Amino acid sequence: MMLLRCIAHAIGAPAPEADDDWFLSDLWFEAAAEYASGVFEIPPTAVGPIRQRPMQALFSYLAGGDDVIRREGVRRFSVESQALLARMTARRQRMSGESFVMRLRAYGALLVIDEVDVILAVGRQAGMPWKEVRDLGAWAKRVVTDVPVLNAERQLAVRLEDQPRATTENDLRDMAAFVTALPLVDIIVAEKQFVNLSRQAKLDTQYGTRLLTSVHDLTREMLAGVDRPERWSSSPAGGLVQHGWRKPRLTPFREHCLTCNMAG
């Protein structure tokens, strides 16, 4: 939905409407789904019982799953992560003499290449006859900065590669969750590394997100303020409005729950 709204804004088409909590789901396994055909299909016979008892289904999956399957899933994730880390190391060495701006541009180009199938498919949903990258026209140069999740990944990944220590598999897990949540929520409690990198990139200002490193920093005033309508009347640096993206609105209860889930 985020990408579809950004594309609609870029081409001047009507932006699709969505529920305020479109990005939340009771089907917890959707968070681990990979884009394939553009349609996330699960047999109704499986979805039905999970919708009826989501907490029990999750507990059963975590506590009673086949250990062989679990180990194979972890193994595959590690294999893919190591391949990604190898590419990051090679890129770091290849781009070591380039300026920070040039490295941002290079990473942005790679992001477009990696996500081009998704971008083209979503563009077709918006009515565009897109089949290849050149069909994107001038927007191909702006897609990474226009789409909040892609922009956050580019800004954090390049800064992460600048760190003196080697990037680890856990860093990849943390960053994947962080870049997805940062443009959507009001408050994130996370470890210092990604909070500091986000502040360096001014992502907290651009997307109006409060970044904390301890749950003890949460105050009653912060939690009460997430439902103030005037917060959404303007956007620092023009990021949310200029790119056709506004944060979805939640009830305070669900917004606080999302904050707590990120912190946990």
Side-chain angles (χ1 to χ4, degrees):
M1 179 57 67
M2 177 188 290
L3 179 57
L4 184 57
R5 288 185 64 87
C6 289
I7 289 175
H9 182 266
I11 64 177
E17 295 297 328
D19 294 335
D20 289 340
D21 60 353
W22 63 266
F23 63 98
L24 296 179
S25 173
D26 293 330
L27 301 180
W28 41 267
F29 48 76
E30 289 178 339
E34 292 287 344
Y35 176 87
S37 63
V39 179
F40 188 73
E41 295 181 349
I42 302 175
T45 52
V47 175
I50 294 173
R51 284 198 184 280
Q52 293 173 7
R53 307 180 70 186
M55 289 184 292
Q56 291 86 340
L58 176 58
F59 181 81
S60 176
Y61 171 78
L62 294 174
D66 190 318
D67 194 54
V68 174
I69 295 177
R70 182 190 65 79
R71 289 177 180 273
E72 177 61 15
V74 172
R75 185 193 69 80
R76 292 188 183 188
F77 182 87
S78 294
V79 169
E80 293 176 1
S81 296
Q82 291 306 314
L84 176 56
L85 289 171
R87 293 196 298 271
M88 290 177 68
T89 299
R91 183 172 62 249
R92 179 183 294 173
Q93 294 172 347
R94 188 168 59 251
M95 303 289 292
S96 60
E98 301 292 344
S99 67
F100 181 78
V101 172
M102 180 58 69
R103 285 183 285 126
L104 275 180
R105 291 176 179 171
Y107 194 90
L110 291 174
L111 267 181
V112 173
I113 292 172
D114 289 344
E115 304 296 338
V116 66
D117 289 340
V118 182
I119 295 169
L120 295 176
V122 174
R124 289 192 289 270
Q125 291 181 38
M128 299 302 294
W130 289 348
K131 295 183 179 179
E132 52 190 43
V133 176
R134 65 181 179 182
D135 293 335
L136 301 179
W139 193 61
K141 297 180 180 179
R142 306 195 314 272
V143 59
V144 174
T145 54
D146 281 7
V147 180
V149 170
L150 298 183
N151 181 50
E153 177 178 340
R154 178 186 64 154
Q155 293 286 350
L156 291 180
V158 174
R159 285 174 170 80
L160 185 63
E161 291 177 357
D162 276 348
Q163 301 299 298
R165 68 172 182 82
T167 305
T168 68
E169 186 175 313
N170 281 335
D171 289 331
L172 300 181
R173 287 193 179 95
D174 292 342
M175 189 171 77
F178 203 87
V179 301
T180 301
L182 192 149
L184 293 172
V185 302
D186 291 305
I187 303 171
I188 293 181
V189 181
E191 63 177 24
K192 291 181 179 180
Q193 176 176 232
F194 284 104
V195 167
N196 290 338
L197 294 178
S198 297
R199 287 172 177 166
Q200 291 172 21
K202 295 182 172 55
L203 293 175
D204 54 335
T205 301
Q206 183 173 359
Y207 297 117
T209 304
R210 185 74 65 91
L211 302 177
L212 306 176
T213 56
S214 171
V215 293
H216 299 294
D217 294 333
L218 283 169
T219 65
R220 187 180 300 275
E221 289 72 21
M222 287 181 191
L223 296 177
V226 298
D227 201 39
R228 288 202 302 267
E230 62 270 18
R231 283 200 71 225
W232 308 99
S233 60
S234 63
S235 169
L240 301 180
V241 177
Q242 176 185 346
H243 300 150
W245 175 251
R246 288 181 183 273
K247 285 189 181 181
R249 298 307 300 136
L250 301 176
T251 63
F253 173 77
R254 298 203 70 177
E255 196 148 336
H256 296 172
C257 286
L258 184 59
T259 302
C260 292
N261 288 341
M262 284 299 300

